[in-house]
Amino acid sequence: MNLSLSVKLLVFAVCFLFSVIVGMVAALISHRPNTPKGPAILYGGGVFGGALTLCLVALTSISVL
């Protein structure tokens, strides 16, 4: 596909926001009520990084980015 730069940036923004939501949900699921919030935030950050990487690799493989 031959997409313009603005469309590619929009697709990247959608991937980024989707990954943020996935990371937040993972952090909320991993948090226990009587424990500190730090490990849950680190876990959510790791899931965010993995989700963003997976989205970008998938979109690159189908030639969107």
Side-chain angles (χ1 to χ4, degrees):
M1 285 186 181
N2 192 9
L3 300 175
S4 66
L5 181 62
S6 60
V7 173
K8 288 182 181 182
L9 286 175
L10 182 63
V11 169
F12 176 76
V14 169
C15 288
F16 182 83
L17 292 176
F18 174 74
S19 299
V20 166
I21 291 171
V22 169
M24 287 172 55
V25 169
L28 287 173
I29 289 173
S30 72
H31 179 64
R32 306 261 191 269
N34 295 327
T35 59
K37 292 178 179 68
I41 292 172
L42 287 175
Y43 184 77
V47 171
F48 162 76
L52 184 61
T53 302
L54 184 64
C55 286
L56 293 178
V57 166
L59 290 174
T60 302
S61 69
I62 60 173
S63 300
V64 172
L65 294 179

